[in-house]
Amino acid sequence: MLYPTIGLEMHAELLTQSKVFCTCSAAFGGEPNTRCCPVCSGMPGTLPVLNRRAVEYIVKAGYVLNCDISRFTKWDRKNYFYPDLPKAYQISQMPRPVCLGGYVDIVSEGEEKRIRINRIHLEEDAGKLIHDDASGETLADYNRCGIPLIEIVTEPDFHSAADVTAFVEKMRLLLQYAGICDGRMEQGSLRCDVNISLAEKGAKELGTRAEIKNINSVRAIGRAIEYEIYRQTELIENGEKVIQETRRFSDSTGETSAMRSKEDAQDYRYFPDPDIPPVIFTEEELEEIRLSIPEMPEKRKERYVSEYGISPADADTLINNRHVCLFFEEAAKAYDNPRNVANFILVELMRRINTGEADMDDLPFTAADLARLVELGDTDKINKSCCKDVLRTMLETGKKPDVICEEENLWIKEDLGAAEAVIDKILADNPKVVEQYRNGEQKVFGFLMGQANKQLKGAATPKAVKELLEKKLGS
Ligand code: ZN
Ligand code: MN
C-alpha cells in the first residue's frame, strides 16, 4: 500500500510599509514598475539596508510557531538567473536563519496532529512575469521585487491533502492574528510549494519527490495533492519512475504538469552576502518583540468559553475570521454582555455577510453602534424583534441605532393605561383560555402573553405586560 509523505514550503509576504532592503512601498499592486528604485531593481553598486521591522516580524512568526530564535543570524546570496530577478541573485538565508525548529498543532479529519517546523528565514520577493499567450510576449513588473518574505519550511509530517489544508488554514490565521501577513492567497501574499512523494507504508526511505510550485488557494492545494497522489501511484504501479522535478498545478484542468528538473541546494552557489551585516539579538530585544505579540486565536477561544460562557462552537466561528473576532471584542468593550453581543453577531450580522448584504471589511457602522443596538433590545428600550430591522437600516443608511429608533418610532413607551385596556379586552375575548388557566393549565399563559405583546406593539415592556397579566389573572 503506497503512502504519501508531504512537506511544505510556505512563503508569506510581510505587512511592512516599505521593502526589505530599500524604502520603496511594499503595498500590493500599483502601476507596473512604479515602486522600484536602483536597490530593488538590482543596479550594480547600490547598497541594500535591512528593514528592522521585517526582522521584528520574522521573530514574531518564530515565537508564534514555537521556534528557537537564533541569537546570531546572517544573510546569503542565492544565485540564479531568472527574468523576475534582475540582480541574478536573491538575498536569502542559508546556514543561519532567524528561526529554527518549532511546531504547529492542527486538527485534521477530527484527529490532532503536531506538524514540526524545520526553519523560517527572511528573504526578498522576486518580481512578477505576466505571460500574454495571445501575443507570445512576457512582461516584467518589478514592483514586487524586494517585498519582505518569510519562508516557512516544515518537516515532511503530512500524509494527506486534509493534513495540509488544515495546516495552511491554521497558519494563515496565526500570521493574520500576529499582524505580520494579510494571508491573502489570491493576491499571492501567502503561497505554498508542496513536496510530495509516495512509498510503501513503513519503508525506510522516502520515494522520489515532485515539487508543486506556488499554489495560491487552499482548495487548489488540496486538489493538487490529490492529483499528484493519483499520478505518482499510477507511475509506480506501472513500474515507471517518478522524476525529481518541479511541477505546476492548473486550476482549470485540475492536473499538474512538469516545469523543470529540480535544482539541489548546491546549484544555487550560496555565499554570505557582503552587503548585509549579521544581526545579533540581545535578550531584551527579543523579549520586547515577544511581549508585543497580540493574543493568539486559541487563547481568545479559551477566554470566550471560560469567561464569557460562549459555546466552543460559537467561539470557533468567532476566531476563524480575525475581522469578525476583533469586531466582536470591540463591541463587547462597548456593552458588557459578551454573550448576547456574540450571539447577535453570529446570527444576525453573519447572516447578512453570508448573503452578501454586508461586507465585514466595509461596514457602515462601528462595533460600538452594533453593541448599542444589542443593548437597546436587552434593556427593553425597543422590542427585541425590532433589532433585526434596525440592523438592516443601519447597513443601508449607516445611521446610529438611536436615530433609527427615534425616526421609526420604535421606543417602548410604557403606557400602562393602554396596556391594561388591551389586556382586559384579550381576557374578555378568551374566556375559555382564562378558565383553563385558572384550572391550573399554566401553559396557556404563553398564549395570552403572545396576544398582548402583539397587540401592544411596544407600548409596554414584556416584563410589565407579564406583571399586569398575572395580576389580572389573580395568580
Ligand atoms: Zn526599491
Ligand atoms: Mn524562498
Side-chain angles (χ1 to χ4, degrees):
M1 170 67 184
L2 290 164
Y3 189 59
T5 298
I6 306 164
L8 289 189
E9 286 162 30
M10 240 179 160
H11 284 96
E13 285 181 348
L14 300 180
L15 279 171
T16 53
Q17 300 279 310
S18 55
K19 292 185 178 180
V20 62
F21 299 120
C22 65
T23 55
C24 293
S25 166
F28 174 77
E31 280 295 302
N33 299 309
T34 55
R35 292 172 183 171
C36 315
C37 71
V39 174
C40 57
S41 50
M43 296 297 163
T46 53
L47 189 64
V49 177
L50 182 59
N51 181 336
R52 285 186 75 97
R53 188 51 59 89
V55 176
E56 189 186 306
Y57 282 8
I58 185 176
V59 171
K60 280 190 186 178
Y63 281 123
V64 168
L65 305 177
N66 309 295
C67 303
D68 290 324
I69 312 296
S70 308
R71 267 49 181 178
F72 173 90
T73 182
K74 67 181 198 60
W75 279 263
D76 304 278
R77 290 187 181 180
K78 180 182 183 182
N79 297 280
Y80 66 98
F81 174 75
Y82 202 68
D84 64 6
L85 187 77
K87 285 208 297 291
Y89 63 84
Q90 180 191 32
I91 304 177
S92 182
Q93 300 192 285
M94 191 49 180
R96 286 280 194 162
V98 177
C99 313
L100 281 166
Y103 63 87
V104 176
D105 291 327
I106 58 162
V107 179
S108 166
E109 297 178 306
E111 207 184 311
E112 262 194 59
K113 288 185 178 171
R114 176 158 292 185
I115 305 299
R116 291 167 303 153
I117 307 284
N118 174 286
R119 57 186 276 147
I120 313 175
H121 58 255
L122 177 62
E123 58 188 25
E124 57 184 337
D125 209 345
K128 228 187 241 169
L129 297 180
I130 299 126
H131 307 285
D132 185 339
D133 286 337
S135 68
E137 287 173 332
T138 294
L139 302 170
D141 176 6
Y142 293 131
N143 283 353
R144 210 177 65 176
C145 269
I147 289 185
L149 207 57
I150 56 172
E151 179 174 335
I152 302 159
V153 182
T154 76
E155 297 292 349
D157 287 349
F158 306 94
H159 299 288
S160 68
D163 287 356
V164 176
T165 51
F167 177 84
V168 174
E169 303 261 19
K170 175 95 181 248
M171 287 293 286
R172 178 165 59 184
L173 212 55
L174 292 175
L175 296 174
Q176 284 174 336
Y177 273 90
I180 59 184
C181 173
D182 64 20
R184 290 178 196 251
M185 298 188 82
E186 73 286 359
Q187 292 185 354
S189 54
L190 192 65
R191 326 191 281 265
C192 242
D193 301 342
V194 177
N195 283 291
I196 171 166
S197 66
L198 261 55
E200 287 297 325
K201 196 164 184 177
K204 282 207 182 70
E205 270 180 41
L206 294 177
T208 306
R209 71 194 151 92
E211 181 178 28
I212 318 160
K213 275 275 185 206
N214 281 334
I215 319 176
N216 60 2
S217 79
V218 174
R219 207 174 103 80
I221 290 168
R223 290 174 70 208
I225 292 170
E226 299 287 7
Y227 177 78
E228 205 46 34
I229 292 174
Y230 157 80
R231 185 186 72 91
Q232 294 187 21
T233 305
E234 292 278 290
L235 282 175
I236 295 166
E237 286 181 349
N238 291 329
E240 292 171 61
K241 276 208 163 93
V242 175
I243 302 165
Q244 183 177 333
E245 63 187 355
T246 301
R247 301 178 69 84
R248 75 161 67 84
F249 175 72
S250 157
D251 240 329
S252 51
T253 63
E255 296 178 1
T256 66
S257 57
M259 265 169 85
R260 54 170 191 257
S261 66
K262 170 72 184 165
E263 302 85 352
D264 277 320
Q266 63 264 25
D267 297 334
Y268 293 118
R269 294 184 302 106
Y270 281 96
F271 67 88
D273 191 307
D275 290 337
I276 314 287
V279 169
I280 299 164
F281 295 111
T282 65
E283 297 308 314
E284 290 74 27
E285 281 167 337
L286 291 180
E287 189 60 5
E288 197 180 311
I289 298 172
R290 196 180 65 79
L291 291 173
S292 72
I293 298 171
E295 191 180 24
M296 285 295 111
E298 279 137 342
K299 279 268 174 297
R300 289 179 200 255
K301 181 183 168 184
E302 272 171 37
R303 194 158 52 81
Y304 299 167
V305 173
S306 67
E307 286 177 31
Y308 298 163
I310 293 171
S311 76
D314 283 353
D316 264 332
T317 314
L318 284 172
I319 61 159
N320 275 334
N321 182 328
R322 174 171 171 268
H323 240 103
V324 172
C325 184
L326 298 188
F327 187 85
F328 158 68
E329 294 215 358
E330 225 182 294
K333 252 181 234 158
Y335 168 47
D336 188 20
N337 191 333
R339 251 181 84 160
N340 287 6
V341 170
N343 199 42
F344 194 77
I345 289 175
L346 290 173
V347 178
E348 296 303 335
L349 185 59
M350 293 304 279
R351 190 211 315 275
R352 299 299 189 312
I353 286 166
N354 293 337
T355 58
E357 275 176 83
D359 176 359
M360 206 57 215
D361 291 330
D362 190 25
L363 288 177
F365 52 80
T366 65
D369 292 337
L370 181 119
R372 174 67 180 159
L373 172 59
V374 179
E375 187 179 9
L376 290 176
D378 281 355
T379 52
D380 291 327
K381 298 284 188 305
I382 60 173
N383 213 309
K384 259 208 166 102
S385 59
C386 297
C387 288
K388 286 181 215 181
D389 301 328
V390 176
L391 177 66
R392 173 163 289 135
T393 313
M394 285 166 73
L395 281 168
E396 283 164 3
T397 65
K399 286 180 182 168
K400 302 271 177 208
D402 287 80
V403 173
I404 296 167
C405 293
E406 189 65 41
E407 285 178 356
E408 298 186 5
N409 203 16
L410 298 174
W411 300 118
I412 291 175
K413 279 159 236 75
E414 202 75 326
D415 184 343
L416 291 182
E420 210 169 336
V422 168
I423 287 169
D424 283 340
K425 183 162 187 307
I426 290 170
L427 297 183
D429 289 348
N430 295 283
K432 272 198 182 136
V433 180
V434 173
E435 202 187 312
Q436 279 174 300
Y437 181 79
R438 295 205 165 115
N439 289 334
E441 279 188 53
Q442 302 276 330
K443 63 174 195 274
V444 299
F445 190 79
F447 167 78
L448 295 170
M449 264 297 279
Q451 291 293 310
N453 279 329
K454 203 162 129 194
Q455 293 184 31
L456 278 163
K457 290 193 194 98
T461 64
K463 185 167 164 276
V465 174
K466 182 163 179 279
E467 281 170 7
L468 263 174
L469 200 52
E470 279 170 350
K471 202 175 95 191
K472 296 273 174 190
L473 287 165
S475 61

